[in-house]
Amino acid sequence: MLEAIVQGVLLGGYYAVIAAGLSLMLGVVRFINLAHGDLAVLGAYLALAAIAFLGLPVWWAFALVLPVMAGIGWGLQRFLFARTLEGGFLLPLLATFGLGAVLQNGMQGIFGSETRSLANYMGNLSWAGWQLPFGLYVGVLPVLTFAAAVIVLGGLQVMLSFTKIGRAMRATSTDPEAAELQGVDARRVQRVATAIAFMLAGLAGMFLAMRAQVTPYAGPAQLIFAFQAVIIGGIGSLWGTLIGGIALGVAQSLGASISAQWFQLAGHFLFFVVLAIRMSSAGPTRERVLVWFDRIADALRLRTRGERKHAD
Amino acid sequence: MSALAVEAITSRHGLLTAVHGVSLTIEPGEVLAVVGANGAGKTTLFRTIAGLHRPAEGAVFLGGIDITDVPAYGRPHLGLSMVPEGRRLFTNMTVRENIQIACEQTGRSRKTFGAVLDALPVVRTLLGKPAGGLSGGQRQAVAIARALVTAPRVLLLDEVSLGLSPAAIDTVYETLAALKLGGEAAMVVVEQDLDRAMGFCDRLVCMLEGKIVLEGKPKDLTREEVSQAYFGLHKGSNAHA
Ligand SMILES: Nc1ncnc2c1ncn2[C@@H]1O[C@H](COP(=O)(O)OP(=O)(O)OP(=O)(O)O)[C@@H](O)[C@H]1O
Ligand SMILES: [Mg+2]
């Protein structure tokens, strides 16, 4: 039980990273990217390619993937996503759904459909771990992933709260036109946000391929987990995303300790419960829950109080 | 040289021509009021000047420089700022951040920020508050501060008093009057209250169906004339029948 919770928390770090990218695009660009999971898998394959074809040392390959993903994000936002945004909300869905299919088939065409993993290149890191009291065993890799997640999400939160580009992102997210009236190049800001989101997807994909096997068709499942983490944690706050990722990871991990099939089912179950609570029309109960969510958000300083939609 | 010159601007929303060949000039320090009924094209004209709407024809000059092709986000830096209809503050940010954004994006100094707070003491008391929780008057004050911090040479204010209490309207106009005395920025205000508009401005234009139908100094215009132009009753001398 304790073991499952600890493993779940660590797994949540991975979900938080993949969900943060999705959440950033939802929040800043108002864009639902259905190819987000496939982009994560692309990040993993890019790392594999850099190692196998370019012969780069492993960590250099990882470091190379991030700017490449950022560049892809920048270019796609510039030449594809921004245009689809002008055509209503359905067009981005169709375009990114298509992009996902292209990525899946492209990766299969180039790399084949057999499973791959980065674990083979990482020496003993993929199985090393620490023996803790109470018979707990934690892997070095999950701990590193979790630590990276906290650092990345913390860094993003600091950027959004305290930097010029972060303020421009928040302004653009509320009202792109009003942001332009203050001198913000809203389209450029959206490109920056997309570039960061793609980097996060790539990073998540590499984490995934370090601890598990991936295939070119692994993306959609990751997209679902990312959405679940975002919804459980609440849209628009990065700490919420971390909490959502952890909650999802713990649910899955506890589920898996019951039986293997329950790994995913428990996550879906938690997701539906949270969704049901948030959307139920149970009147005062619903309001109370929402106020409660708001209070937590306030306490964590995720939002300013004025944003509260639900009066006490 | 004029602070702002609009030359034969035509702006459309799809097939609808909202602004039809409008020309205007504003001198430095001048206050121009734009009045006109709902749908006359005031907001579309402002949005075109600010760069949010591309004109189908015509050109906009700021201090003699053609800015027609400058994107909206490039204009505040050049000295053109707009308080849009509905204020449109960033409700998820504090008042300080709302103003800071405009300040840092246009590269203005902390000194400018301080000077704006001195001019609008009420805003200083609100700095730490979230912009989403302010009253209408407070919001308008913050929106004006946010525009002023870009050190505009031309300030556009759409629907200055819409939705404000009479007391808040008085306060806003006191602020604007003080700015007018300062004399640096030319102001163009859209104001539905004719008396208010005529009392405050140096010059007034009245728009009707996308065109300017009346223009003049308040002392040369009667309220009667203006309200006839407002409702489109002035055409020709025998249109009163
Ligand atoms: N985004 C838009 N799409 C289509 N038509 C528009 C749009 N905005 C304005 N219009 C139309 O353009 C015309 C001019 O509108 P505009 O908002 O410029 O007038 P206004 O003088 O500011 O009116 P109000 O006093 O109501 O603010 C109106 O007929 C309006 O319906
Ligand atoms: Mg208007």
Side-chain angles (χ1 to χ4, degrees):
Chain A
M1 175 83 174
L2 182 62
E3 171 92 30
I5 291 175
V6 171
Q7 303 303 344
V9 169
L10 295 178
L11 179 60
Y14 159 71
Y15 291 138
V17 173
I18 192 163
L22 197 68
S23 176
L24 198 65
M25 284 196 73
L26 275 171
V28 178
V29 195
R30 304 273 145 149
F31 191 87
I32 298 176
N33 182 5
L34 292 183
H36 194 72
D38 303 303
L39 288 163
V41 176
L42 176 69
Y45 274 95
L46 285 177
L48 283 163
I51 295 166
F53 299 151
L54 303 181
L56 284 182
V58 177
W59 297 104
W60 281 103
F62 294 168
L64 180 68
V65 168
L66 298 179
V68 169
M69 289 301 291
I72 296 174
W74 181 283
L76 278 174
Q77 180 65 36
R78 171 83 178 73
F79 294 106
L80 182 67
F81 296 170
R83 287 176 199 187
T84 65
L85 272 169
E86 284 159 17
F89 86 102
L90 204 56
L91 213 51
L93 292 179
L94 290 171
T96 55
F97 185 75
L99 175 66
V102 169
L103 286 172
Q104 290 167 21
N105 290 316
M107 286 187 286
Q108 191 195 15
I110 296 170
F111 300 101
S113 55
E114 61 269 31
T115 60
R116 307 241 176 188
S117 176
L118 285 166
N120 314 333
Y121 302 102
M122 308 197 40
N124 67 354
L125 193 59
S126 48
W127 41 265
W130 292 291
Q131 193 69 51
L132 300 182
F134 309 110
L136 270 178
Y137 181 84
V138 294
V140 174
L141 188 59
V143 170
L144 278 181
T145 308
F146 187 81
V150 172
I151 291 169
V152 165
L153 268 69
L156 273 176
Q157 186 74 57
V158 167
M159 181 199 75
L160 286 172
S161 303
F162 302 114
T163 67
K164 183 175 166 185
I165 183 73
R167 277 186 287 273
M169 279 188 189
R170 283 187 290 148
T172 303
S173 127
T174 341
D175 189 339
E177 258 189 17
E180 296 233 327
L181 288 177
Q182 319 314 319
V184 176
D185 182 350
R187 284 161 180 266
R188 185 179 151 270
V189 165
Q190 292 178 335
R191 278 174 226 145
V192 173
T194 305
I196 295 174
F198 273 49
M199 274 200 313
L200 292 169
L203 182 66
M206 289 189 286
F207 284 150
L208 176 68
M210 283 182 219
R211 71 170 167 78
Q213 307 277 331
V214 292
T215 73
Y217 296 96
Q222 306 310 312
L223 175 71
I224 289 175
F225 296 148
F227 263 121
Q228 291 184 339
V230 169
I231 301 286
I232 294 170
I235 294 170
S237 90
L238 289 165
W239 292 125
T241 304
L242 182 61
I243 291 164
I246 290 173
L248 181 65
V250 169
Q252 291 183 339
S253 183
L254 284 175
S257 70
I258 299 168
S259 95
Q261 292 92 322
W262 268 91
F263 174 79
Q264 289 212 15
L265 273 180
H268 297 334
F269 188 71
L270 173 68
F271 167 70
F272 277 119
V273 169
V274 172
L275 204 60
I277 291 173
R278 293 204 165 171
M279 291 173 62
S280 80
S281 45
T285 327
R286 168 173 167 268
E287 285 308 305
R288 232 177 287 147
V289 171
L290 291 172
V291 167
W292 187 68
F293 273 117
D294 272 345
R295 285 230 188 92
I296 294 176
D298 284 347
L300 295 172
R301 299 189 163 278
L302 301 175
R303 291 176 266 172
T304 51
R305 290 182 62 89
E307 231 188 319
R308 298 180 83 157
K309 295 193 181 69
H310 316 284
D312 299 58
Chain B
M1 190 191 304
S2 59
L4 177 77
V6 172
E7 281 186 6
I9 284 282
T10 296
S11 276
R12 301 198 173 95
H13 299 288
L15 292 177
L16 181 120
T17 303
V19 175
H20 203 120
V22 165
S23 296
L24 273 178
T25 57
I26 298 112
E27 300 307 317
E30 191 184 18
V31 175
L32 178 75
V34 178
V35 300
N38 287 346
K42 308 177 296 289
T43 296
T44 305
L45 175 64
F46 269 35
R47 287 173 57 83
T48 309
I49 297 172
L52 293 176
H53 194 98
R54 262 200 88 73
E57 281 161 46
V60 181
F61 295 85
L62 187 70
I65 300 163
D66 187 347
I67 58 163
T68 318
D69 293 324
V70 176
Y73 65 82
R75 298 185 189 202
H77 185 73
L78 299 175
L80 176 71
S81 195
M82 173 158 92
V83 176
E85 207 172 350
R87 304 10 147 188
R88 294 172 71 171
L89 297 182
F90 305 115
T91 49
N92 58 336
M93 303 168 101
T94 63
V95 168
R96 182 194 305 279
E97 287 175 319
N98 266 271
I99 302 169
Q100 189 178 1
I101 255 196
C103 189
E104 68 193 0
Q105 291 289 336
T106 51
R108 308 302 186 227
S109 66
R110 288 181 149 270
K111 249 174 79 186
T112 316
F113 200 146
V116 168
L117 294 181
D118 291 341
L120 288 154
V122 58
V123 174
R124 194 188 287 279
T125 66
L126 300 171
L127 283 177
K129 297 225 168 97
L134 305 181
S135 72
Q138 291 171 332
R139 248 181 278 160
Q140 183 65 294
V142 173
I144 291 173
R146 187 174 67 169
L148 286 180
V149 82
T150 67
R153 283 183 291 159
V154 176
L155 178 61
L156 310 173
L157 296 129
D158 199 355
E159 302 289 5
V160 176
S161 52
L162 190 72
L164 301 189
S165 69
I169 295 174
D170 287 340
T171 313
V172 167
Y173 272 96
E174 277 163 31
T175 309
L176 295 182
L179 279 178
K180 186 178 165 185
L181 278 183
E184 283 137 49
M187 280 187 263
V188 191
V189 297
V190 168
E191 174 56 72
Q192 298 284 16
D193 180 340
L194 280 189
D195 295 320
R196 197 49 102 166
M198 292 182 73
F200 178 61
C201 73
D202 300 321
R203 194 154 52 95
L204 177 136
V205 300
C206 180
M207 287 184 74
L208 179 70
E209 293 169 2
K211 294 182 183 147
I212 292 179
V213 288
L214 184 73
E215 177 169 1
K217 293 194 179 352
K219 64 176 166 52
D220 303 332
L221 299 167
T222 62
R223 198 182 183 294
E224 181 83 309
E225 269 179 299
V226 177
S227 61
Q228 283 183 351
Y230 189 100
F231 293 111
L233 303 171
H234 76 122
K235 286 170 195 135
S237 51
N238 53 1
H240 297 282

